[in-house]
Amino acid sequence: MEENREALGAEIVRTPTSARFDSPESHVGVAWRLKNEIPDSHILDQYRNPSNPLAHYDTTAEEILEQCDGKVDMLVAGAGTGGTITGVARKLKERCPNIRVSSLLTSTGRLADRIPLKSCFWFPPPGGSSGTAMAAAVKFAKELKEGQRCVVILPDSIRNYMSKFLSDKWMVQKGFLREEDIMVKKPWWWNLKVQSLNLSAPLTVLPTVTCQQTIKILKEKSFDQAPVVDDAGVILGMVTLGNMLSSILAGKIKLSDPVSKVLYKQFKQIRLTDNLGNLSHILEFDHFALVVHEQIQYLTNGSTALKQMVFGVVTAVDLLNFVTGRERRERSVSESTDEM
């Protein structure tokens, strides 16, 4: 993607995936802000674009009616922007007044309670969203009467999930597969705890420290990143040398700005009691993981709160040094024994 950016002369603006749709930090919120800042700019915005549902009213719904000979008793579809479900439903309601339309998501974002299915059309290969649609529909299949017809819209293909449920490692990480199901023999270090690593004392910075000061500290201590915590030690995010430098060079921040302006919140956490196998999976995709230790804190009113304390930052180099160091020591002892 970076190569395409250069070829097109475009600037990529990344937004946190955890931000709500209506948050100013979401991809939509940032896009609208940029539209207002950049002259002669245009935003497609499928959430507010009236052509989104209209396209499905004019095309998707017509295709469904044609293939079903104009008889559809039920429609089951997911809800993303809402364009598909509203556009198709409007046309089908006009042609088939008694049709029931069920969306997979309610206003609370949970699965709808009643989604019946009698017959459907299946277009492989579907992705996770399509699988959810089918699973929910099949669950309530018995509620339809004999001869009634239901259409399930499968909105995606497998290409969007190549790094997710097609990956055994991702499936293990999310708890859908067991490690023993995909690995016949684990290395000797696999089940050792993260606390086995000889991690350096954590270097943390307050959110008010300037970027210039932080860059100097990281370089002096030979670190690439550091946790940012408040006065009480609560983790606010991470600051990385690369993120600061790229933001400064792009003119987004100044050296005198506090690191709170360049907080990096999309990082993985791991506990001291987790095993090194889990850590190795994280480090295959991330440059580092934040090692945290949870403590129970008693408050003045007698209640308790779970507080996460920073224990350290672990990188692939730390894991590699631990594994090779121990193997080197064992090999040295073995060679000494042979000589005797």
Side-chain angles (χ1 to χ4, degrees):
M1 183 164 65
E2 296 298 330
E3 292 79 5
N4 292 338
R5 174 191 65 79
E6 273 190 36
L8 295 172
E11 178 187 354
I12 295 177
V13 178
R14 301 187 185 280
T15 60
T17 56
S18 57
R20 285 176 52 89
F21 154 72
D22 54 359
S23 166
E25 291 80 28
S26 72
H27 61 294
V28 176
V30 172
W32 274 101
R33 175 176 61 78
L34 292 174
K35 176 188 178 296
N36 295 330
E37 294 176 357
I38 302 172
D40 300 323
S41 61
H42 177 69
I43 182 171
L44 298 177
D45 189 5
Q46 57 182 333
Y47 294 92
R48 297 179 179 88
N49 190 340
S51 294
N52 178 9
L54 187 60
H56 294 287
Y57 176 86
D58 288 334
T59 61
T60 311
E62 289 291 348
E63 182 180 347
I64 290 173
L65 288 167
E66 180 183 351
Q67 294 190 23
C68 295
D69 300 322
K71 183 181 183 300
V72 184
D73 299 289
M74 180 164 292
L75 171 72
V76 178
T81 63
T84 302
I85 188 73
T86 54
V88 173
R90 180 181 174 188
K91 175 62 68 69
L92 295 186
K93 282 281 187 179
E94 292 174 358
R95 300 282 188 86
C96 309
N98 296 323
I99 190 174
R100 289 179 58 187
V101 178
S102 298
S103 172
L104 288 184
L105 298 182
T106 65
S107 59
T108 60
R110 297 178 179 175
L111 283 175
D113 291 330
R114 297 176 65 83
I115 305 176
L117 168 73
K118 188 65 176 181
S119 60
C120 67
F121 298 95
W122 182 260
F123 301 99
S129 301
S130 299
T132 302
M134 286 300 299
V138 168
K139 182 177 179 180
F140 297 96
K142 296 180 180 179
E143 296 188 19
L144 275 183
K145 297 177 181 178
E146 186 68 28
Q148 287 188 311
R149 178 177 292 166
C150 174
V151 171
V152 182
I153 295 181
L154 308 183
D156 55 35
S157 68
I158 204 70
R159 65 168 191 160
N160 297 330
Y161 304 92
M162 299 295 281
S163 61
K164 292 184 171 63
F165 56 72
L166 286 188
S167 165
D168 287 343
K169 292 175 181 176
W170 185 90
M171 291 289 284
V172 169
Q173 198 176 34
K174 298 299 181 181
F176 296 112
L177 284 178
R178 297 176 303 170
E179 196 69 55
E180 51 267 30
D181 294 333
I182 64 169
M183 184 174 288
V184 178
K185 186 178 180 181
K186 300 173 187 172
W188 60 266
W189 49 266
W190 193 265
N191 288 316
L192 294 180
K193 305 302 180 186
V194 173
Q195 59 193 12
S196 304
L197 300 176
N198 187 22
L199 297 176
S200 304
L203 182 156
T204 61
V205 295
L206 292 173
T208 52
V209 177
T210 67
C211 292
Q212 186 172 21
Q213 290 174 307
T214 306
I215 291 172
K216 182 181 178 182
I217 293 170
L218 292 178
K219 286 186 174 180
E220 287 178 352
K221 301 297 182 181
S222 298
F223 286 125
D224 292 325
Q225 63 279 313
V228 179
V229 299
D230 62 15
D231 291 324
V234 177
I235 303 165
L236 302 177
M238 295 290 292
V239 60
T240 68
L241 200 57
N243 193 31
M244 277 192 294
L245 292 175
S246 62
S247 297
I248 290 170
L249 294 174
K252 296 179 180 178
I253 62 167
K254 301 186 294 289
L255 283 169
S256 57
D257 285 336
V259 292
S260 57
K261 285 196 171 184
V262 284
L263 279 185
Y264 186 76
K265 296 187 178 181
Q266 292 180 320
F267 58 88
K268 297 293 192 302
Q269 294 185 6
I270 195 163
R271 293 171 178 77
L272 290 168
T273 53
D274 290 336
N275 63 40
L276 296 181
N278 289 339
L279 174 62
S280 70
H281 283 323
I282 292 175
L283 295 177
E284 285 182 17
F285 301 98
D286 295 84
H287 298 301
F288 64 89
L290 184 64
V291 184
V292 297
H293 180 62
E294 293 180 342
Q295 295 179 343
I296 298 176
Q297 188 178 57
Y298 282 85
L299 308 179
T300 53
N301 61 4
S303 63
T304 61
L306 198 62
K307 185 178 180 181
Q308 283 191 332
M309 303 296 293
V310 177
F311 189 84
V313 178
V314 60
T315 66
V317 174
D318 295 317
L319 180 59
L320 182 62
N321 287 341
F322 173 78
V323 173
T324 57
R326 178 164 168 177
E327 289 178 347
R328 192 162 47 243
R329 289 193 299 272
E330 290 180 352
R331 187 164 56 249
S332 177
V333 171
S334 176
E335 291 172 354
S336 299
T337 305
D338 291 341
E339 290 176 359
M340 294 175 61

